[in-house]
Amino acid sequence: MTRGTDMEQTRSDLKMSGAGSVGGGVFRNVVISGTGNVSGDIDCVSFTSSGVSNVSGSLKAEQVRISGTSRVDGKVDAGEVVVSGASEFGGGVHAKKFTVSGASTVRGNVNAEDVGLRGGLKVSGDCEAERFDAKGGFSIDGLLSAQSIEIRLYAQCTAREIGGGKVSVREDTSGWKRFVQDLGLLPERLLRAESIEADDVYLESTSAKVVRGGTVRLGPKCEIDLVEYTGEYVADPSAKVTASRKVEAS
């Protein structure tokens, strides 16, 4: 029998289906379906909250699933974090995979291999990933950095800086969303950033001070102060660009 199996057997489950408070500790499966308050750090295999949960410490788990309302005051360190409800993480998120289809606020940095957004995300620090795939709205106070950044604009999106290997920003063009927006029931969907830099850049509905890249392609509804490129540069006739220049590759 392996050491890992021994450790697994020493862990007990924590289940809260009513209203109550417990201390932190080391567990196997933590399940909160009522209103649960945990005072202290949690180290567990899985953390599932479908009710209202508050953790006044850090959370370490292989898998975190939140479909209710959850707040973690400390850092979250997990293999996978899935939020389909509402979450607030006070110490940042470190995970292999971070998926948000509800609403999540991260007071700190996000570090993940894969970030998938289908709802709303607010990050007070940087968001760094290998892959960032967003079909929703986000606000990132610092740097958004990933090797692959795919953004489909369903709502307002902002980041101070964006950098990566490939950056693609496209406005959602589904029929019903265009109809509702034409009626004035939805705000203009737009990405705002101070700077965007990548090897390959394609932008729609984007406002930025500086865009730098090897290949830079600007679609409709772009407003850019300065474009710098080392390879190819193409701009839609409707794009507003104050200045553009080709520079030597560094």
Side-chain angles (χ1 to χ4, degrees):
M1 187 174 291
T2 66
R3 180 181 177 87
T5 303
D6 289 339
M7 290 292 292
E8 193 74 14
Q9 288 184 344
T10 62
R11 293 173 179 255
S12 59
D13 292 339
L14 172 62
K15 297 184 179 181
M16 303 179 71
S17 57
S21 299
V22 297
V26 178
F27 304 98
R28 183 174 56 183
N29 301 316
V30 176
V31 180
I32 301 175
S33 56
T35 300
N37 296 300
V38 181
S39 57
D41 300 336
I42 296 178
D43 183 332
C44 62
V45 176
S46 69
F47 178 90
T48 303
S49 176
S50 58
V52 178
S53 61
N54 296 285
V55 180
S56 60
S58 62
L59 172 59
K60 182 178 181 181
E62 292 180 9
Q63 186 176 75
V64 175
R65 291 189 175 273
I66 296 170
S67 57
T69 301
S70 185
R71 187 185 75 205
V72 179
D73 291 340
K75 181 180 179 180
V76 174
D77 191 345
E80 181 181 26
V81 178
V82 179
V83 178
S84 56
S87 69
E88 180 177 340
F89 303 124
V93 173
H94 185 278
K96 288 185 177 180
K97 188 172 183 179
F98 184 32
T99 303
V100 179
S101 58
S104 185
T105 297
V106 180
R107 305 193 186 283
N109 298 326
V110 172
N111 291 278
E113 293 181 10
D114 189 293
V115 175
L117 175 62
R118 298 297 183 269
L121 174 65
K122 293 183 178 181
V123 180
S124 64
D126 299 332
C127 180
E128 299 184 27
E130 288 296 317
R131 176 177 174 269
F132 182 88
D133 184 1
K135 294 180 181 178
F138 62 81
S139 173
I140 299 171
D141 292 346
L143 168 68
L144 167 58
S145 174
Q147 184 61 30
S148 173
I149 298 176
E150 296 278 345
I151 299 171
R152 181 74 71 170
L153 295 170
Y154 283 72
Q156 290 283 101
C157 297
T158 62
R160 191 187 71 213
E161 298 176 275
I162 297 176
K166 181 178 181 180
V167 174
S168 175
V169 180
R170 300 177 185 272
E171 186 171 358
D172 173 48
T173 56
S174 61
W176 74 270
K177 284 187 175 292
R178 292 178 61 185
F179 174 74
V180 174
Q181 187 175 14
D182 290 342
L183 292 178
L185 301 179
L186 280 178
E188 183 78 8
R189 295 184 295 279
L190 186 72
L191 170 69
R192 296 184 184 275
E194 292 185 11
S195 67
I196 300 172
E197 184 170 353
D199 297 331
D200 188 341
V201 180
Y202 176 79
L203 305 175
E204 295 178 3
S205 299
T206 298
S207 174
K209 293 181 179 179
V210 180
V211 174
R212 296 185 177 95
T215 298
V216 177
R217 293 167 292 160
L218 301 181
K221 300 181 183 179
C222 285
E223 295 186 7
I224 313 296
D225 291 347
L226 172 63
V227 175
E228 291 185 340
Y229 60 98
T230 59
E232 180 185 7
Y233 168 55
V234 179
D236 186 270
S238 67
K240 298 178 181 179
V241 179
T242 303
S244 62
R245 61 181 179 227
K246 189 169 186 177
V247 297
E248 294 294 327
S250 58

